[in-house]
Structures are given as structure tokens and as C-alpha cells.
Amino acid sequence: MTVNDDSFTSWKNREEIAESMIPIIGKLHREQDVTVLVHSRSLVNKSVVSILKTHRFARQIAGEELSVTETLPFLQTLTTLDLGPSQIDIGMLAAEYKADSRGLTVEEFTADAVAGATGANKIERRDGRDVVLYGFGRIGRLVARLLIEKAGSGNGLRLRAIVVRGGGEADLVKRASLLRRDSIHGQFQGTITVDEANSTIVANGNTIKVIYANDPSEVDYTAYGIENAILIDNTGKWRDREGLSKHLRPGIDKVVLTAPGKGDVPNIVHGVNHDTIKPDEQILSCASCTTNAIVPPLKAMDDEYGVLRGHVETVHSFTNDQNLLDNYHKADRRGRSAPLNMVITETGAASAVAKALPELKAPITGSSIRVPVPDVSIAILSLRLGRETTRDEVLEYLRDVSLHSPLKRQIDFTTAPDAVSMDFVGSRHASIVDAGATKVDGDNAILYLWYDNEFGYSCQVIRVVQHVSGVEYPTFPAPAV
């Protein structure tokens, strides 16, 4: 047998193992509300190849490849435990088991590591929480995909309705088609049917009412059986408390804005300040995609080194508020053709840092350049630190943050030497540290942070909604504080 034959046999063996994992992962998710992860990446509804690629990606952040032969015993053990709703990272279980010196079996170690999700400690499964999308543009459709994907056992978030303005003939069919096919993010994973007579879209069994209205005041959500719902406004038309309060109609309990909030509207970056949301707060904002990209790394760097001042330069993909061809626009430069030009524009991300991270006293400035790519941006974060350090120390610290800290769902890490923007389409993290581009000189550090300004941001929105709805489940093993 040749070396190539050995490699192929190994691949086929790992394929077989990954195939055996799929029904276990699916059953845990459907019946017990348990989401299985590998280094913060969900394995729910993933193919054999996706599971293997997720394991292999661990080498980018952990320094060595993770094999399904290592994680399978932990997954099998989970099926023997009395688990409640939770997220369990079998990649972290495997890594921590290697470092553990107690001489425990896999079964003993796993039971101890996830004890907070078992027996008397487990969270009881809750009834699902209704969600309404107000607007159905780029972010709205991606949030819809995520809500449908995460419907799971039906005990979490339930997308009940979408509110849009009427668009004329075949409006419903066209909107369903935009959900089904996306030029950047690909095909919808599942099936979509349209019931025009009842104005509904059925996606993977989820019946979604499409409500036509020109203003929030026109809708009584209880007429559609919607109660105590969280409404996600992704139009950006109203951004202050007075405007967003228009959504607090019968059937709506809370309003979440997918744009920076103005005035006293709390700007929330999940992972950083989501635990400051007051239980009775009815209106909040998820800030901007760029704010979500820079605040978690800023917090991480400030926690370890102290940040005295900083500047963020965002190189941002063009967005729908720019013109396809040169035409009038109320902004100074956004009227120029987006696919043909780099466009200097403003960003409110730097000033928004103070709202999301008030303990950071350092002045942060910012500017932005829109460039001719349809998705994925990069924030160049230049920092003056409170002490001198080295590039290797900073990279090792940020790698550890991406693996073990409470920010591991927000901060990702890549060592790929040839990484470019399209590689990060579909990333579920708020930002990805590019190790190869990082520069450190004494007390000056420059971080290059990739982010999918559409999908990664939408994932942050969902995390905030899960938190305020009470269906954000704990992760095990618990991240280091």
C-alpha cells in the first residue's frame, strides 16, 4: 500500500466517523436543545465534509489539527447524560482532556465538565419566543435564515412574521425567492414554499406570516396570534427611543434595532455588554457591524495591556445606501458609483465604542473607505498600549482569547498566509484577527480584523435576541474568565 493509499484510507475512515456523528448531533439538538460545537463552530445540520473541515480548521487557532477520532468519544458520552438545554464544545472537551492530569476516563471527565447542564443543575426547556422582522433587506433575510436554522426543537426563537411595504404583483413570490437564493451567501439550506392565498412563506416547516404595512401603527400583531414577541427592526428608519417605541404595539414586548441607536437607546455588543441589559428594557440597539467588529478586540487588548488611545480605519464593502451608478445622494460622496470607486465616508463606530465599552477611557478616532466588494470588510485598529509588548506575545494572547475566553464567539483567529476577504464570507464571529498582518512595536500595536459585515453581524443580532428572550443557553466547558 502506498502513502497515497494510506491517506485515502484515513480519509474514508474519518468520513465514516463524521457520518456516524450526524444523527447523534441532530438528536441532541431536536430532543434536548443541545447544540454541539467544535471551537465555537456549530455542527448542527452540517454535512460530513463540513464536520471534517471544522475539525481541520482547529489547526488555525489551536496550532494542531483536531481529529473526529478524538471528539467522537466525547459526543457519544453526551448521549448517556441527563442534559438540559446547552451548548457543548466537544473540541474544547478534547483539548482540556489532553491537558487534564487527574487520570479520569473520558466518561468521568465529560460528566464533570458539563455538570452544570445535567441533573438538578440543568435548565428546563422553555416555550418558544415569538419573533417579528420589520423589514426584509440584507440583514433581515440573513437574520431570517438564522432564526429558521436555529428553530431546532421549537423551544427557542420562532420567526412568526415579516412586516414589509407592498411591492406590487407577485410580491410574496419575489421576497421568498430572495430568501431562497443569495448572490453572496448562496442557497437557503432547506425548502421554501409560498402560500399566496394566506400570505405566508413556509421555510423548513416554519410558517411565516407576511404582513403588509406602511407604518408600525397599522399592525395589531395579536390578530395573527403573536404574543410577547421580540421585534427586530432592520429598516433603520427609526433609531431613537421615540421612533422605535412606535413598534410597541399589541403583541410586541421588545424592540431590537439592527443599526446604531441614538440618544439613550442602549447600544449592545454581545459578549461585551449584553449582561448590562435591564430586564425591563424594551428598546435596544445592536450597534453597527463595525462597532461589533472592533469592540471585542478593543476590550481584550485593554484588559491585558491597557489602551491609551486608538484609531480605526475601516475598509468596508459597499452597501445598499450607495448608488450603483453616479447619481444624486444626500451624502457628499456616496452618490458616486459604488462598484467602480473607493469612497471615503464617515463611520460612527469609533464614537459608538464609548456606549458599548464605557470603561475604556482612551480616545478612539475612526474613518472609513467603501470599496468595490459586495461583502466582508476589514478594520485596521491602531493602538497605543499601556505597556510594551511583542508581536508573538500579542498573537499568543489573542489566539488564547479566541479559544478560551468569554469572547470566543466574537473573536476568531487565522494564521492563513494567503487569506483574503472572500474567505470570510459566512463567518459567524464579529471579527477575525489576521495573525500574519499583525504589527507590534513596543507599545504600538496594529490589528487587522476581518469581518463579514452582513452575516457575522446578523449572528451578533441573534445572540442579543437570544439573551433578552431567555433562550441563550450556557456553554460547556465554561470559558475562562
Side-chain angles (χ1 to χ4, degrees):
M1 181 177 287
T2 67
V3 172
N4 286 339
D5 288 336
D6 286 340
S7 298
F8 186 67
T9 300
S10 173
W11 171 259
K12 300 302 286 184
N13 288 339
R14 285 182 286 133
E15 268 191 326
E16 185 177 2
I17 292 171
E19 196 171 62
S20 74
M21 297 171 85
I22 291 173
I24 302 174
I25 293 165
K27 188 174 182 180
L28 284 168
H29 187 57
R30 286 190 305 275
E31 297 183 4
Q32 294 174 268
D33 276 355
V34 173
T35 300
V36 177
L37 314 170
V38 167
H39 290 309
S40 300
R41 290 165 170 79
S42 173
L43 297 186
V44 176
N45 292 327
K46 295 297 188 290
S47 67
V48 167
V49 171
S50 292
I51 290 172
L52 292 173
K53 286 181 69 175
T54 301
H55 279 71
R56 180 163 169 75
F57 186 81
R59 78 192 192 282
Q60 294 280 2
I61 49 180
E64 58 183 358
E65 188 168 343
L66 180 68
S67 172
V68 287
T69 60
E70 296 176 76
T71 58
L72 179 62
F74 296 96
L75 181 61
Q76 291 171 326
T77 299
L78 295 180
T79 66
T80 69
L81 300 175
D82 180 25
L83 289 167
S86 56
Q87 299 186 105
I88 299 179
D89 195 319
I90 57 175
M92 292 304 302
L93 284 174
E96 292 188 9
Y97 182 65
K98 278 185 181 181
D100 191 76
S101 59
R102 292 174 291 172
L104 302 176
T105 64
V106 166
E107 292 76 14
E108 291 169 336
F109 178 84
T110 304
D112 179 64
V114 304
T118 60
N121 296 322
K122 70 181 183 182
I123 298 172
E124 292 303 319
R125 298 173 74 179
R126 303 181 177 94
D127 291 335
R129 186 73 176 268
D130 291 352
V131 177
V132 172
L133 292 178
Y134 199 95
F136 205 47
R138 297 298 303 151
I139 300 302
R141 292 194 296 273
L142 292 178
V143 168
R145 285 188 174 201
L146 286 164
L147 288 167
I148 295 162
E149 171 195 299
K150 295 177 181 297
S153 64
N155 291 82
L157 301 174
R158 302 179 303 193
L159 177 56
R160 296 292 309 282
I162 297 163
V163 184
V164 292
R165 289 178 294 183
E169 186 179 353
D171 180 276
L172 195 63
V173 172
K174 290 176 181 177
R175 293 186 189 278
S177 183
L178 285 169
L179 179 63
R180 184 181 290 115
R181 303 177 185 88
D182 191 286
S183 300
I184 297 167
H185 301 282
Q187 295 278 342
F188 174 80
Q189 296 301 303
T191 63
I192 293 175
T193 58
V194 175
D195 182 350
E196 289 189 271
N198 292 302
S199 192
T200 60
I201 296 172
V202 182
N204 291 358
N206 296 268
T207 301
I208 306 160
K209 183 72 175 179
V210 178
I211 302 168
Y212 293 97
N214 293 314
D215 188 81
S217 63
E218 298 177 9
V219 189
D220 178 350
Y221 295 94
T222 59
Y224 304 98
I226 297 169
E227 299 284 352
N228 195 37
I230 298 172
L231 182 144
I232 304 173
D233 182 329
N234 56 89
T235 68
K237 183 176 180 179
W238 304 278
R239 292 172 56 187
D240 60 12
R241 187 172 295 275
E242 180 182 1
L244 292 167
S245 294
K246 295 179 180 181
H247 289 303
L248 294 174
R249 303 281 299 154
I252 302 300
D253 179 57
K254 294 182 185 293
V255 179
V256 175
L257 171 66
T258 63
K262 294 182 177 180
D264 67 342
V265 174
N267 280 250
I268 304 300
V269 174
H270 190 275
V272 175
N273 68 336
H274 66 277
D275 55 356
T276 66
I277 301 172
K278 297 176 182 177
D280 60 350
E281 178 61 74
Q282 289 189 287
I283 295 173
L284 54 93
S285 155
C286 290
S288 70
C289 56
T290 302
T291 303
N292 276 266
I294 65 173
V295 166
L298 260 176
K299 174 175 171 50
M301 293 298 286
D302 189 49
D303 286 348
E304 179 66 17
Y305 301 102
V307 172
L308 302 182
R309 65 172 178 267
H311 176 80
V312 60
E313 188 77 35
T314 65
V315 182
H316 199 291
S317 59
F318 61 76
T319 62
N320 200 48
D321 76 334
Q322 293 174 256
N323 288 339
L324 188 63
L325 295 172
D326 287 3
N327 210 336
Y328 173 81
H329 195 293
K330 64 181 181 180
D332 290 336
R333 305 183 200 234
R334 294 192 190 193
R336 301 300 298 278
S337 173
L340 297 178
N341 293 290
M342 293 189 291
V343 178
I344 298 172
T345 187
E346 72 285 344
T347 176
S351 58
V353 169
K355 275 193 168 186
L357 195 59
E359 61 268 31
L360 179 70
K361 303 305 180 186
I364 306 293
T365 57
S367 51
S368 178
I369 302 172
R370 298 286 180 93
V371 294
V373 296
D375 186 31
V376 181
S377 305
I378 189 166
I380 305 166
L381 191 56
S382 181
L383 303 174
R384 173 77 181 277
L385 304 178
R387 66 176 174 87
E388 293 192 354
T389 182
T390 66
R391 181 175 182 273
D392 287 346
E393 182 189 339
V394 168
L395 289 178
E396 186 57 36
Y397 169 65
L398 291 175
R399 182 202 299 269
D400 186 67
V401 166
S402 74
L403 281 170
H404 303 293
S405 81
L407 291 170
K408 66 181 183 180
R409 296 171 73 193
Q410 283 70 45
I411 299 176
D412 203 2
F413 188 92
T414 182
T415 58
D418 56 351
V420 293
S421 60
M422 288 300 289
D423 296 331
F424 303 104
V425 170
S427 169
R428 295 180 181 235
H429 288 77
S431 62
I432 306 100
V433 176
D434 191 313
T438 301
K439 293 174 173 54
V440 179
D441 182 10
D443 60 356
N444 290 297
I446 303 176
L447 307 182
Y448 287 73
L449 308 166
W450 298 101
Y451 58 109
D452 184 330
N453 48 276
E454 293 186 337
F455 196 74
Y457 175 67
S458 297
C459 290
Q460 283 287 89
V461 171
I462 290 292
R463 290 172 190 137
V464 171
V465 174
Q466 286 177 319
H467 178 73
V468 299
S469 68
V471 295
E472 182 183 37
Y473 301 134
T475 300
F476 299 93
V481 178

